[in-house]
Coordinates of all heavy atoms in Angstrom, one line a residue:
Chain P
Y588 N 112.4 80.7 26.4 CA 113.0 82.0 26.1 C 112.0 83.0 25.9 O 110.9 82.8 25.3 CB 113.8 81.9 24.8 CG 114.4 83.2 24.2 CD1 115.5 83.8 24.9 CD2 113.9 83.8 23.1 CE1 116.0 85.0 24.4 CE2 114.4 84.9 22.6 CZ 115.5 85.6 23.3 OH 116.0 86.7 22.8
Y592 N 110.1 93.3 23.3 CA 110.4 94.2 22.2 C 109.7 95.6 22.4 O 108.6 95.6 22.9 CB 109.9 93.6 20.8 CG 110.6 92.4 20.4 CD1 110.3 91.2 20.8 CD2 111.7 92.6 19.5 CE1 111.0 90.0 20.4 CE2 112.4 91.5 19.1 CZ 112.1 90.2 19.5 OH 112.8 89.1 19.1
Q594 N 108.4 98.8 20.2 CA 108.1 99.3 18.8 C 107.6 100.7 18.8 O 106.5 101.0 19.3 CB 107.1 98.3 18.1 CG 106.9 98.6 16.6 CD 106.0 97.6 16.0 OE1 105.2 97.0 16.6 NE2 106.2 97.4 14.7
R599 N 110.3 99.3 13.2 CA 110.3 97.8 13.4 C 110.5 97.5 14.9 O 111.0 98.3 15.7 CB 111.5 97.2 12.7 CG 112.9 97.5 13.2 CD 114.0 97.1 12.3 NE 114.2 98.1 11.2 CZ 115.0 97.9 10.2 NH1 115.7 96.8 10.1 NH2 115.1 98.7 9.2
L602 N 114.5 94.5 20.1 CA 114.7 93.8 21.3 C 115.2 94.7 22.4 O 116.2 95.4 22.1 CB 115.6 92.6 21.1 CG 115.9 91.7 22.3 CD1 114.7 90.9 22.6 CD2 117.1 90.9 22.2
R607 N 116.1 83.8 29.7 CA 115.9 82.3 29.5 C 115.3 81.7 30.7 O 115.3 82.2 31.8 CB 117.3 81.7 29.1 CG 117.9 82.3 27.9 CD 118.9 81.4 27.3 NE 119.6 82.1 26.2 CZ 120.4 81.4 25.4 NH1 120.6 80.1 25.5 NH2 120.9 82.1 24.4
F645 N 106.0 94.7 23.3 CA 105.5 93.3 23.1 C 106.3 92.3 23.9 O 107.5 92.4 23.8 CB 105.5 93.0 21.6 CG 104.6 93.8 20.8 CD1 105.1 94.8 20.0 CD2 103.3 93.5 20.7 CE1 104.3 95.6 19.2 CE2 102.4 94.2 19.9 CZ 103.0 95.3 19.1
L649 N 109.1 81.6 23.3 CA 109.7 80.6 22.4 C 109.5 79.3 23.0 O 110.0 79.0 24.1 CB 111.1 80.9 22.1 CG 111.8 80.0 21.1 CD1 111.2 80.1 19.7 CD2 113.3 80.3 21.1
T653 N 111.0 74.0 19.2 CA 110.6 74.7 18.0 C 111.2 76.1 18.1 O 111.7 76.5 19.1 CB 109.0 74.9 18.0 OG1 108.7 75.7 16.9 CG2 108.5 75.6 19.3
Y654 N 111.2 76.8 16.9 CA 111.8 78.1 16.9 C 110.7 79.1 16.5 O 110.9 80.1 16.0 CB 113.0 78.2 16.0 CG 114.1 77.4 16.6 CD1 114.4 76.1 16.2 CD2 114.9 77.9 17.6 CE1 115.4 75.4 16.7 CE2 115.9 77.2 18.2 CZ 116.2 75.9 17.8 OH 117.2 75.2 18.4
K655 N 109.5 78.8 16.9 CA 108.3 79.6 16.7 C 108.1 80.5 17.9 O 107.9 80.0 19.0 CB 107.1 78.7 16.4 CG 105.8 79.4 16.2 CD 104.7 78.4 16.0 CE 103.3 79.1 16.0 NZ 102.3 78.0 15.9
Y656 N 108.0 81.8 17.6 CA 107.8 82.8 18.7 C 106.3 83.1 18.7 O 105.7 83.4 17.6 CB 108.6 84.0 18.4 CG 110.1 83.9 18.5 CD1 110.8 83.3 17.4 CD2 110.8 84.3 19.6 CE1 112.1 83.1 17.5 CE2 112.1 84.1 19.6 CZ 112.8 83.5 18.6 OH 114.2 83.4 18.6
Chain H
R924 N 118.0 81.2 10.2 CA 116.5 81.2 10.4 C 115.9 82.5 9.9 O 116.4 83.6 10.2 CB 116.2 80.9 11.9 CG 116.5 79.6 12.3 CD 115.7 79.1 13.6 NE 116.2 77.8 13.9 CZ 117.2 77.5 14.6 NH1 118.0 78.5 15.1 NH2 117.6 76.3 14.8
Y926 N 111.9 84.3 9.4 CA 110.5 84.3 9.8 C 109.7 85.3 9.1 O 110.2 86.4 8.7 CB 110.4 84.7 11.3 CG 111.1 83.7 12.3 CD1 112.5 83.8 12.5 CD2 110.4 82.8 13.0 CE1 113.2 82.9 13.3 CE2 111.0 81.9 13.9 CZ 112.4 82.0 14.0 OH 113.0 81.1 14.9
Q930 N 101.4 91.9 10.9 CA 101.0 92.7 12.0 C 99.9 93.7 11.6 O 100.1 94.4 10.6 CB 102.2 93.5 12.6 CG 101.9 94.2 13.8 CD 103.1 94.9 14.4 OE1 104.1 95.3 13.7 NE2 103.1 95.1 15.8
G935 N 100.1 92.4 18.1 CA 101.4 91.9 18.1 C 101.7 91.2 16.8 O 100.7 90.8 16.1
Y941 N 108.2 79.9 9.2 CA 109.7 80.1 9.3 C 110.5 79.1 8.6 O 110.0 78.0 8.4 CB 110.1 80.3 10.8 CG 110.4 79.0 11.6 CD1 111.7 78.5 11.6 CD2 109.5 78.3 12.3 CE1 112.1 77.4 12.3 CE2 109.8 77.2 13.0 CZ 111.1 76.8 13.1 OH 111.4 75.6 13.8
E949 N 107.8 75.3 9.6 CA 106.5 75.4 10.3 C 105.7 76.5 9.6 O 106.3 77.5 9.1 CB 106.6 75.7 11.8 CG 105.3 75.5 12.5 CD 105.5 75.4 14.0 OE1 106.7 75.2 14.5 OE2 104.5 75.5 14.7
G995 N 124.3 80.0 22.0 CA 123.9 80.8 20.9 C 122.8 81.8 21.4 O 122.2 81.7 22.4
F997 N 119.1 83.5 20.8 CA 117.8 83.3 20.2 C 117.2 84.6 19.5 O 116.2 84.6 18.9 CB 116.7 82.9 21.2 CG 117.0 81.5 21.8 CD1 117.5 81.4 23.1 CD2 116.6 80.4 21.0 CE1 117.6 80.1 23.6 CE2 116.8 79.1 21.6 CZ 117.3 79.0 22.8
E998 N 118.0 85.7 19.7 CA 117.5 87.0 19.3 C 117.1 87.1 17.8 O 117.8 86.7 17.0 CB 118.5 88.1 19.6 CG 118.0 89.5 19.3 CD 119.0 90.6 19.6 OE1 120.1 90.3 20.1 OE2 118.7 91.8 19.3
Q999 N 115.9 87.6 17.6 CA 115.4 87.9 16.3 C 115.7 89.4 15.9 O 115.5 90.2 16.8 CB 113.9 87.7 16.2 CG 113.5 86.3 16.2 CD 112.0 86.2 15.9 OE1 111.5 85.9 14.8 NE2 111.2 86.6 16.9
F1001 N 114.4 92.2 13.3 CA 113.3 92.5 12.3 C 113.7 93.4 11.2 O 114.5 94.3 11.4 CB 112.1 93.1 13.1 CG 111.3 92.1 13.9 CD1 111.6 91.8 15.2 CD2 110.2 91.5 13.3 CE1 110.9 90.9 15.9 CE2 109.4 90.6 14.0 CZ 109.8 90.3 15.3
G1002 N 113.1 93.2 10.1 CA 113.2 94.2 9.0 C 112.2 95.3 9.2 O 111.4 95.3 10.1

Side-chain angles (χ1 to χ4, degrees):
Chain P
Y588 172 70
Y592 290 86
Q594 188 174 28
R599 70 190 80 186
L602 180 76
R607 297 198 186 194
F645 294 102
L649 179 66
T653 176
Y654 292 100
K655 176 182 172 182
Y656 296 78
Chain H
R924 288 201 182 84
Y926 298 79
Q930 187 177 29
Y941 87 92
E949 193 163 346
F997 291 106
E998 181 179 355
Q999 284 188 107
F1001 281 88

